[in-house]
Each structure stands twice: as structure tokens, then as C-alpha cells.
Amino acid sequence: MIEITSYLRAKSGGFTPVPDTTSAPSDPSYVEGAIELTINGVRILDQELWDYVDELWSYISDMVLTLRREDEAATYFPDQPIRLSFKRLGGGLVLVSLTYDDIKRATSVDERELIEELQRSGTKFFARMKELLPGNAQGYDDALARLIGDVNP
């Protein structure tokens, strides 16, 4: 089971789920927020790991695109030395891991299920962000195309 929720960070430091956000982030170049990603009960990403959430989603889009051609894809968070990786294990499974400092969170999951859930959640995220920040729409469309595989390699 995979659960993904995207949040925007308010000036107060609190988080609002992206679908429930009613006002645009104050700085469209630095959209603070978080992604919660729980796979089979293992919390891989959470609100404590907040960063520039639209950039992080874009990096995840790149990872999905890379995983289509290679056995491993990894990225660092936009503004932190936190590494997120996907690595094929065989048998249709992917190891999803997050490492930073002395922390490592990891679990395996069906690759198809992971990709489908990332695509579903990412599509919702980018659609709402285009409504909130229409000036960023082209970048969001480009990231979404990489996520759903609508690009030429």
C-alpha cells in the first residue's frame, strides 16, 4: 500500500494539503512544502523533510523517467543533502530508500504500483500548482510530461 500527500508550507510553519490550499505561495520561485510518502507502513518522506516541494516533485519526475531506462534512479532534495533513490531488485520490485545524516528509511514495493501512484499523485499536484501559480505552468507541464512518460528519450 502506498500513500502520498503533498503539502504547501505556510509562513506560520504549518502545512496545508495542496488540494486544500486556497492562496498561492508568496514566492513562485521558492515553493516551500513537503511530500509524505508511506509505503507498506514505512514512512519514507514526511513533513519534517520539507523543502521546495515543486522542485522535489520535478526531481521525482526525472527519477521515474530514468527508471524507465535504467535499474536505478536517485536524486537529492533541492536544498538539503537528503538522497532519495529507486533501485530495481528483480521480480518486479523496487527498493525505495531515503538517506541523510545517520538516517536510512527503506522498503521494497511493486514497481508498477509505485510508478502508477507517483503518476496519480504528481498529476494532481501539478494540476493544482498550475491553478495556484499559472506563471509556473510551463515548468509544471514539463515535469508532468517526464513523470507520465510523455517525452522522447
Side-chain angles (χ1 to χ4, degrees), residues 135-151:
N136 290 358
Q138 184 61 56
Y140 295 151
D141 283 340
D142 292 346
L144 182 57
R146 294 190 306 276
L147 180 65
I148 63 173
D150 190 21
V151 294

Side-chain angles (χ1 to χ4, degrees), residues 94-123:
V94 170
L95 178 68
V96 178
S97 61
L98 180 96
T99 52
Y100 67 98
D101 297 333
D102 293 334
I103 308 292
K104 179 163 184 167
R105 303 174 185 172
T107 191
S108 61
V109 66
D110 180 81
E111 179 177 350
R112 187 171 171 201
E113 183 183 352
L114 174 67
I115 300 304
E116 287 175 357
E117 190 59 31
L118 287 170
Q119 289 172 335
R120 187 186 69 75
S121 295
T123 298

Side-chain angles (χ1 to χ4, degrees), residues 73-84:
T75 191
Y76 283 90
F77 275 44
D79 201 38
Q80 300 181 73
I82 299 171
R83 184 176 189 267
L84 177 65

Side-chain angles (χ1 to χ4, degrees), residues 19-81:
D20 300 340
T21 302
T22 56
S23 58
S26 58
D27 188 341
S29 297
Y30 301 100
V31 180
E32 294 179 345
I35 301 170
E36 285 185 346
L37 171 61
T38 303
I39 301 172
N40 300 326
V42 176
R43 171 89 26 116
I44 302 293
L45 302 176
D46 58 33
Q47 291 179 9
E48 290 180 17
L49 304 174
W50 65 272
D51 207 312
Y52 301 125
V53 69
D54 58 345
E55 289 181 40
L56 182 56
W57 262 115
S58 181
Y59 294 0
I60 291 170
S61 296
D62 292 338
M63 291 174 68
V64 170
L65 182 63
T66 299
L67 196 62
R68 286 188 184 95
R69 292 178 258 149
E70 301 174 22
D71 287 334
E72 186 170 6
T75 191
Y76 283 90
F77 275 44
D79 201 38
Q80 300 181 73

